[in-house]
Amino acid sequence: MNGGRPTLRTPEVEKQILDALRLGQLHRPTVCALVGIKPRTLRDWRKQDPAFDAAIRAAEAKGEARLASIATQGAADDPRLALDILRARYPEKWNRRHTRVDGNVHVDVARPPTLPKELRAAWDAGAKSGWKDRKACRELEIYWATGEIGRPEQIAALETLLAELKANPEPYLGE
């Protein structure tokens, strides 16, 4: 020891840092706050010890892989999450393009001939609103991302209602 303050770097603190990173806490300043050190201290430790730096990078990779696995599993049930993952992973293909245009611009986009008839109303609403109708845009995005028109539970509910209507139409006929 050089006569200064005792080091905050202990095996326990290192383990806490690495465990937090492996679990997916990928924001280093937050990890530092959890163990009671400043981010600059962690940077200094990494510069001084290449093995510790490599352990940090490996722990971050494991944490990222863990979070990606959780997100991917969740995306199976939530198309919006799937879109968010695609936008984050492939921004050049999936991010919404933001363009600023000064002046008057008229864009005449024809409805794709392969668009299912169930989505034609959404396309027309989107085009009429200048693509500001969020509901219409979301329906079209989900279709393009999943290739499906509706979620299976929505389709099942509609099929049940249709079967009830065919069996007994009177309650559904308003006068």
Side-chain angles (χ1 to χ4, degrees):
M1 199 158 120
N2 60 6
R5 290 191 315 204
T7 183
L8 297 173
R9 186 174 175 191
T10 64
E12 294 80 24
V13 168
E14 286 183 12
K15 182 180 180 323
Q16 289 176 335
I17 292 169
L18 295 173
D19 287 347
L21 293 171
R22 279 187 210 102
L23 289 174
Q25 178 49 264
L26 301 177
H27 188 245
R28 289 183 193 157
T30 302
V31 172
C32 291
L34 288 171
V35 298
I37 64 172
K38 295 187 184 285
R40 180 179 178 140
T41 302
L42 181 60
R43 280 193 301 274
D44 291 344
W45 292 352
R46 293 179 69 201
K47 285 180 187 174
Q48 295 166 3
D49 186 348
F52 182 61
D53 181 56
I56 291 280
R57 285 185 279 117
E60 287 174 333
K62 285 182 182 179
E64 181 182 358
R66 180 177 180 274
L67 292 175
S69 175
I70 291 168
T72 303
Q73 290 170 4
D77 297 326
D78 186 354
R80 289 177 298 179
L81 180 57
L83 285 170
D84 289 342
I85 292 169
L86 286 169
R87 286 181 180 135
R89 180 62 181 94
Y90 306 104
E92 65 286 348
K93 270 173 79 174
W94 289 93
N95 271 348
R96 292 188 178 116
R97 308 288 195 276
H98 296 285
T99 306
R100 181 178 176 178
V101 178
D102 293 328
N104 294 324
V105 176
H106 175 72
V107 178
D108 187 18
V109 179
R111 185 189 315 142
T114 58
L115 189 70
K117 63 182 176 184
E118 295 88 349
L119 291 173
R120 290 178 185 162
W123 179 276
D124 294 341
K128 183 178 180 181
S129 70
W131 301 106
K132 293 178 183 163
D133 183 327
R134 295 178 62 82
K135 182 180 177 193
C137 291
R138 179 60 75 192
E139 284 183 44
L140 293 165
E141 284 178 335
I142 290 172
Y143 169 70
W144 285 317
T146 65
E148 295 181 14
I149 295 168
R151 294 184 180 165
E153 60 270 13
Q154 292 169 320
I155 293 170
L158 289 172
E159 288 173 343
T160 301
L161 182 62
L162 182 60
E164 290 174 9
L165 178 61
K166 285 181 180 176
N168 186 11
E170 271 81 30
Y172 300 98
L173 298 176
E175 292 188 23

